[in-house]
Amino acid sequence: MRLPEHLEPLLTDEPVLDVYSHGPWRVPDGLFEEISDRIDGLAADPRAADLTTDEHKLLTLPASLVTAEIFGILAFLPGGGAIKAGSWSQLPERLLYKHLVNPGPLSTRMTRWDAPGGRWRPPVDWLIEAPDRELAIELARDCLSVLEGVQPLEERRKALLRMYDDPPECDVNLPKMELREHWHAHAGDDIVTAVPELLGPVGYLEWVCGGLLASYEHLTEVAPREESVEVHLIQLLLQGSMEHVPAELAVALGEDRYGDLQQRFPGERRGFKPGAWQERTRAWLVRALVAGAADACRGWLDMAMRFVAVVQGLPGDPWFPKAEWIPVGQFQTDLRRLYAPRRRVVNPLTETLKSVPAKAPRPAGPRTRGRPEIATSLVGQPEVVQALEELTRGDEPVRLLLAGPDATGKRDAAQELAKALAFGRDPHWVTDNLFTGQRLSDAVAKLHADARDCAGDRLLIIEGLDGIVTDPGNGEAIASELHRLLAVHPDLHLVALCDAGGEDRIREINPVLPQRFRIARTRPFTAEGHAELFRRALEARGARGTRQAVDAAGALLAATPPMQTLRNARLAPHLADQVVAAVRARAAKDTAQPAKNTAQLAKDTAQATKDTAQATKEAAQAAKDAAQAADGTAPEDESRDAKPVVRKQDIPETLDTSLAAGNPLAELHSLTGLDTVKHEIALIVAGTHAARLRSESGLQITPPTRHMVFTGNPGTGKTMVARLLGRIYKRLGVLSSGHLIEASRAHLVGEYIGQTAPRTRRLVERALGGVLFIDEAYTLTQSPLKGDYGHEAIAELVKLMEDHRDDLIVIVAGYQQEMAEFLAANPGLDSRFPKQIHFPDYTDDELITVFGQLAAADGFKLAPGTDDVLLAMLRRAPRGPSFGNGRLMRNMLDVAVANQADRVATAAFAAAKKKNDGTGKKAGRTPTKKELITLTADDLPPLLDHPEEFFGLYL
């Protein structure tokens, strides 16, 4: 019986802050001292130095208004009435210790808890006393800023900061309560979701009731309790010393449930004993705890405490709950009592009273000493198989580093090793994404926690170790820490997975670390390996293949270029899905013989004599056997089972992993307009052909740089041409797959230090073999924020473009002027993009053609006169940088289709209604099929008197 992994810090003696709605969090060393220094620095700021108060009861007087404001914020940030526990849960006492008038001893008990209410609300509380209200609001925002870094409070803190960044338009000198109402009403949904107290007391009560009922229903499923939901709510009210049912519950729970509570309240109140209820509730939570519902128990306690805080504070905001008997402390004690590590002593009776003597152990041999022999199903990886056999022979701790390309069996090998080790717990997987962007202290703390948890009885598997240690932020420190942990925990079993060459990248960062591992490398599969994988894939799909078919599939897969993650071992299932589906479809067609032919065959057969029938049967069987022998299967194989049989002719000649059929050059030439673009691409294609001819003639050639810049306004076909260009280059043999990966700034730039370079590398890895299309690339250099990571993304991209120039094309796109500024932002950019293609706006006639093509693709036809009305609209549309071109035509078509649907549906309804009234056909008629697929001029959007309205409606 184990506690969920994320709750295990509660079993330690580490400094932990446990806000129940977030979860336990190990406080990094030195963080609280750093925040205290920030608070002192803000209080000493010249803007705030003279702002003091003599009214605060807990701070040394005169108290800084900034310090008083932060005291209120610290009570509010965990949540109104939310449970805050852990050995370092005294946030105001720890962060403001030197400012307290009567500081007491700080507790380090893990079972300590409180549930602060706090009536602080944005924008200001104590700072309302400052004579300059704008300065007060500015300082209140700074108070939130200095509290950065307390992870359980970060979501709510950042949401509040967004309120200050987008304040409402109102008089800042309004009274405090009116000012708060304006700010709360202006808050967006994302802010209110994170800080539901801004909904007001009734809205917050409704939010709390929703969580309380959900957690109670979940707990009663795993640990049934003999009481209804209504009785449960009443007893919570009584536990909170309430004398009546608050009327606000009619809004939060509905009038029916509120009426039921009122009716039952007097009866439940008589004889209610808080102590007895507390004991029953504690026992109920313990039953749910051992049933595996620890998170649901914590959720219910948190919502129950908030419920008490809210109802006690009505009609105002939630306040610090009065004396109540909700067993929070008892639950925390029970959690440690049940799950904390404890010493064990063997009872002698377990040995003396055994009725069956233990079997004598087998003598240790070369394969039986230590661990059992491993049974591996790996294909084509002899080096890895040998390493697994060696590791499972001895008793030494497993330290294995598997390096190789993606989808070559590294994860399967780790799983098989874990199974052979036969630990009582499943392996613990850790990926590089868990460390990306973390503070160094948090990353190291997680690594230590994983090592402590796995030491001795659990296999730790780290995926992407090379990516972790090469991270420019924390990689070197984590590599050193991992090397130290391998020495500190001699019983730690660890498997690390890396990409091809990963062991060399680790060695460059920490030359000693790879020496602690047994290194085994996986290889790309040969044709024989692919054939075996294909045979297994057929078996998994209930089919089988002839020897020739399996060999042909292996040769095909070995020659198939990868695309993104569809590579190596993942290709065989991909091909098997296509082939088995085709074989099953053909078999179904062959067996569906017409009844007439079957009857005729039976009639003809009945006319033959017995001898002739026997001869015919023998001849047919001989022909069948000969055909099967030629195909490579024995006659008895066909009758062995009813599995579909895949033959050599079922294997396609090529496997297109991009699933893009058709001729991309023909599709390019069929596009409307874009004559200059087509000409430029024709020159590119001709140059590629000429380079191939020179190479075949033995002439020396230098591969050109094929990265490009596309400029033009929105909707001019840049993305569409980029996709076609990838397919064209694939047909020319320049790119291995020709797929397109669309990206923007958000795909490249991280939020924190150390995230941008790995994010850019992962994006480029996805695009290898194809085209990486970065739209609005100029946004990488246009951020007004200090310390923006856009330039880091550009630097990493430039390096990767050069490293993978043989099988990657990068196309950056955007407005013409902005892209010129983008290319000038980095000295290496302009030379990396020698080809620039401009996409002009469509003419009116071209846009009308595009509209007709889009309508035809959707199954519609245009009525006569529609083009003229559309042309009149386009002539009145303003042509600026935001003009939508083809995108505008799609939007206008959507409007026209919606109008047409309304028109035909209204006509059909009117016809049906009049027919039901008995008025006959003259009263109305159902639209014809032609009318259902025809768009008329009346269906188009209306002509606008003011051209500027065009953008608001259709762009």
Side-chain angles (χ1 to χ4, degrees):
M1 185 176 70
R2 291 187 56 82
L3 196 64
E5 182 178 344
H6 64 279
L7 298 181
E8 290 188 353
L10 299 176
L11 307 179
T12 69
D13 294 322
E14 300 281 346
V16 171
L17 171 62
D18 182 20
V19 177
Y20 269 30
S21 58
H22 176 275
W25 175 68
R26 203 274 190 192
V27 180
D29 297 337
L31 175 63
F32 279 14
E33 291 79 3
E34 178 186 337
I35 295 176
S36 295
D37 292 341
R38 289 187 221 149
I39 294 173
D40 293 342
L42 181 59
D45 189 292
R47 298 172 300 161
D50 297 328
L51 301 178
T52 61
T53 179
D54 293 323
E55 300 296 328
H56 207 287
K57 297 180 180 179
L58 300 178
L59 299 177
T60 303
L61 303 180
S64 167
L65 288 181
V66 164
T67 308
E69 189 82 13
I70 290 176
F71 196 103
I73 292 175
L74 288 173
F76 175 83
L77 277 180
I83 296 176
K84 174 167 60 71
S87 57
W88 279 40
S89 58
Q90 295 169 286
L91 290 180
E93 292 83 351
R94 289 187 178 274
L95 298 179
L96 300 173
Y97 189 86
K98 66 182 70 172
H99 300 281
L100 298 178
V101 64
N102 188 23
L106 295 174
S107 172
T108 57
R109 291 183 299 108
M110 191 63 74
T111 55
R112 188 209 168 274
W113 69 279
D114 60 64
R119 288 177 177 168
W120 182 88
R121 296 290 185 279
V124 286
D125 191 13
W126 282 92
L127 280 167
I128 199 77
E129 298 179 20
D132 185 347
R133 187 67 62 80
E134 291 184 352
L135 174 61
I137 294 175
E138 179 182 343
L139 289 172
R141 190 194 189 285
D142 292 342
C143 289
L144 283 168
S145 298
V146 299
L147 297 178
E148 179 184 5
V150 185
Q151 195 61 41
L153 312 180
E154 278 296 279
E155 181 182 6
R156 289 166 59 87
R157 188 188 70 87
K158 290 179 179 178
L160 292 169
L161 284 176
R162 292 198 294 273
M163 292 185 67
Y164 287 91
D165 294 337
D166 182 26
E169 295 181 359
C170 66
D171 184 4
V172 296
N173 294 309
L174 290 171
K176 181 167 68 173
M177 299 306 296
E178 293 184 29
L179 187 62
R180 285 179 176 176
E181 290 177 2
H182 283 286
W183 277 61
H184 300 176
H186 184 67
D189 289 344
D190 60 325
I191 296 175
V192 177
T193 299
V195 193
E197 294 94 326
L198 302 182
L199 296 168
V202 177
Y204 185 48
L205 177 61
E206 184 177 12
W207 182 87
V208 169
C209 287
L212 177 63
L213 295 179
S215 57
Y216 179 77
E217 291 173 1
H218 180 85
L219 284 179
T220 53
E221 290 179 1
V222 298
R225 192 175 188 183
E226 295 182 358
E227 66 180 22
S228 65
V229 174
E230 290 75 15
V231 171
H232 178 69
L233 292 172
I234 291 173
Q235 292 182 345
L236 269 179
L237 291 172
L238 294 172
Q239 202 70 7
S241 305
M242 297 298 296
E243 301 290 335
H244 62 278
V245 179
E248 290 82 356
L249 285 174
V251 178
L253 298 173
E255 295 181 1
D256 293 340
R257 178 164 281 175
Y258 170 72
D260 195 4
L261 294 181
Q262 280 190 313
Q263 183 178 358
R264 292 172 178 247
F265 189 87
E268 291 293 331
R269 186 178 181 185
R270 290 191 297 270
F272 178 77
K273 296 181 179 180
W277 182 89
Q278 180 203 41
E279 289 302 321
R280 292 195 306 271
T281 302
R282 178 182 184 179
W284 172 57
L285 291 174
V286 169
R287 286 190 288 119
L289 189 60
V290 298
D295 287 318
C297 291
R298 288 164 53 88
W300 177 86
L301 286 167
D302 190 40
M303 290 298 116
M305 190 60 66
R306 293 179 192 241
F307 180 83
V308 172
V310 176
V311 296
Q312 289 181 351
L314 292 173
D317 292 316
W319 194 233
F320 294 85
K322 299 175 184 176
E324 78 296 305
W325 293 76
I326 296 176
V328 179
Q330 292 90 329
F331 171 80
Q332 296 184 152
T333 300
D334 290 335
L335 185 145
R336 289 177 66 88
R337 179 171 58 88
L338 292 171
Y339 290 100
R342 54 188 177 275
R343 300 191 314 186
R344 288 180 170 86
V345 191
V346 177
N347 191 312
L349 291 178
T350 61
E351 296 295 330
T352 59
L353 297 183
K354 282 185 176 179
S355 58
V356 180
K359 295 181 179 180
R362 280 190 308 177
R367 295 289 304 186
T368 59
R369 184 181 62 82
R371 305 179 181 107
E373 181 176 354
I374 188 171
T376 178
S377 61
L378 296 178
V379 174
Q381 304 298 344
E383 184 178 343
V384 176
V385 172
Q386 181 181 356
L388 296 183
E389 291 176 349
E390 292 175 359
L391 290 171
T392 53
R393 284 196 186 109
D395 297 323
E396 296 299 320
V398 171
R399 306 284 171 80
L400 175 63
L401 190 149
L402 295 173
D406 188 26
T408 51
K410 299 192 296 291
R411 294 187 185 91
D412 291 339
Q415 291 280 24
E416 291 182 353
L417 180 59
K419 186 177 180 180
L421 295 176
F423 291 134
R425 301 161 61 190
D426 292 336
H428 179 57
W429 291 79
V430 177
T431 67
D432 54 350
N433 288 329
L434 296 174
F435 293 93
T436 301
Q438 283 202 40
R439 294 163 58 101
L440 178 59
S441 56
D442 292 342
V444 170
K446 172 170 177 50
L447 191 62
H448 275 262
D450 291 337
R452 285 196 305 268
D453 173 70
C454 297
D457 64 347
R458 192 178 191 182
L459 179 63
L460 175 62
I461 303 174
I462 302 180
E463 279 200 75
L465 179 61
D466 52 339
I468 294 174
V469 302
T470 55
D471 180 84
N474 300 332
E476 186 174 353
I478 292 178
S480 299
E481 204 67 28
L482 179 59
H483 180 264
R484 187 178 301 114
L485 285 172
L486 291 174
V488 171
H489 297 284
D491 57 345
L492 175 63
H493 300 271
L494 174 62
V495 174
L497 311 184
C498 303
D499 287 333
E503 70 277 20
D504 296 328
R505 289 189 289 273
I506 296 174
R507 190 174 290 109
E508 291 174 0
I509 301 298
N510 190 315
V512 182
L513 183 57
Q515 298 177 12
R516 305 300 300 270
F517 291 91
R518 166 71 161 89
I519 300 176
R521 299 167 184 84
T522 61
R523 309 292 182 187
F525 296 101
T526 62
E528 292 76 13
H530 278 295
E532 174 60 21
L533 292 171
F534 181 72
R535 186 190 65 77
R536 296 183 183 184
L538 290 181
E539 287 185 354
R541 287 154 180 78
R544 58 190 178 90
T546 65
R547 179 175 53 80
Q548 291 87 347
V550 172
D551 291 344
L556 170 63
L557 294 174
T560 299
M563 186 192 77
Q564 295 184 260
T565 57
L566 186 56
R567 59 182 63 235
N568 294 316
R570 302 189 186 111
L571 289 169
H574 179 73
L575 175 61
D577 285 334
Q578 298 181 20
V579 172
V580 172
V583 171
R584 292 186 191 278
R586 186 188 66 220
K589 181 178 180 181
D590 292 343
T591 56
Q593 297 295 333
K596 181 177 180 180
N597 293 344
T598 303
Q600 184 64 39
L601 179 62
K603 182 178 179 181
D604 293 342
T605 304
Q607 302 300 319
T609 63
K610 183 177 180 180
D611 294 341
T612 304
Q614 182 63 28
T616 303
K617 181 178 180 181
E618 292 174 356
Q621 183 64 40
K624 181 178 181 182
D625 293 347
Q628 290 175 333
D631 193 46
T633 58
E636 59 271 16
D637 288 345
E638 192 70 32
S639 59
R640 184 176 57 194
D641 51 46
K643 291 182 178 180
V645 179
V646 176
R647 304 186 185 281
K648 183 177 181 181
Q649 56 267 31
D650 297 319
I651 305 300
E653 293 184 0
T654 59
L655 179 62
D656 186 4
T657 53
S658 64
L659 300 178
N663 186 338
L665 277 172
E667 293 180 34
L668 176 66
H669 289 298
S670 67
L671 296 178
T672 301
L674 304 177
D675 292 336
T676 57
V677 175
K678 296 174 184 176
H679 176 69
E680 292 287 346
I681 292 179
L683 293 178
I684 293 173
V685 173
T688 304
H689 276 302
R692 174 179 294 177
L693 293 174
R694 295 190 189 100
S695 177
E696 292 173 352
S697 300
L699 299 176
Q700 183 178 359
I701 61 170
T702 301
T705 300
R706 297 185 175 89
H707 309 301
M708 304 179 195
V709 178
F710 285 1
T711 61
N713 291 330
T716 49
K718 297 186 292 295
T719 305
M720 181 168 48
V721 170
R723 182 174 287 107
L724 291 174
L725 192 59
R727 292 169 55 195
I728 291 171
Y729 271 132
K730 180 181 184 300
R731 295 189 61 165
L732 294 173
V734 175
L735 295 176
S736 59
S737 65
H739 66 284
L740 179 79
I741 296 295
E742 295 185 56
S744 62
R745 173 188 167 89
H747 295 90
L748 294 132
V749 179
E751 300 176 8
Y752 307 106
I753 295 175
Q755 284 185 325
T756 298
R759 185 175 291 188
T760 304
R761 285 196 297 271
R762 285 195 294 269
L763 182 67
V764 170
E765 288 169 1
R766 288 177 54 207
L768 288 180
V771 174
L772 174 59
F773 181 79
I774 305 176
D775 200 10
E776 298 181 345
Y778 52 83
T779 58
L780 294 171
T781 60
Q782 287 187 343
S783 175
L785 301 176
K786 293 180 64 177
D788 180 69
Y789 305 129
H791 290 277
E792 180 184 350
I794 294 174
E796 186 70 17
L797 181 63
V798 168
K799 176 181 180 299
L800 294 170
M801 288 166 57
E802 189 63 28
D803 293 343
H804 302 288
R805 61 180 298 172
D806 293 337
D807 201 19
L808 173 70
I809 294 177
V810 177
I811 299 177
V812 292
Y815 294 109
Q816 192 167 12
Q817 179 60 36
E818 284 80 352
M819 290 306 297
E821 297 171 359
F822 166 74
L823 294 176
N826 184 293
L829 274 180
D830 198 24
S831 60
R832 295 303 193 285
F833 294 97
K835 192 68 175 178
Q836 299 188 25
I837 300 178
H838 180 67
F839 286 68
D841 286 347
Y842 287 102
T843 65
D844 291 346
D845 292 337
E846 290 172 345
L847 287 174
I848 292 174
T849 303
V850 169
F851 186 89
Q853 292 173 340
L854 293 172
D858 289 350
F860 291 95
K861 297 181 179 180
L862 302 183
T866 308
D867 293 351
D868 297 335
V869 176
L870 188 60
L871 181 61
M873 295 185 66
L874 291 174
R875 287 175 177 171
R876 302 182 62 178
R879 294 291 185 104
S882 298
F883 183 74
N885 289 290
R887 197 174 303 158
L888 168 64
M889 293 298 97
R890 164 52 65 186
N891 294 342
M892 294 185 68
L893 177 63
D894 292 341
V895 175
V897 170
N899 291 339
Q900 191 256 15
D902 179 68
R903 174 170 57 80
V904 298
T906 301
F909 176 77
K913 182 177 180 182
K914 292 179 179 180
K915 184 176 181 181
N916 292 335
D917 291 342
T919 56
K921 293 184 178 180
K922 295 182 179 180
R925 66 180 183 83
T926 302
T928 64
K929 180 178 180 180
K930 181 179 179 181
E931 291 173 332
L932 291 173
I933 63 171
T934 300
L935 298 176
T936 67
D938 294 334
D939 297 324
L940 294 175
L943 291 173
L944 302 173
D945 296 331
H946 301 284
E948 62 272 10
E949 297 177 3
F950 204 86
F951 291 101
L953 290 177
Y954 308 121
L955 296 184

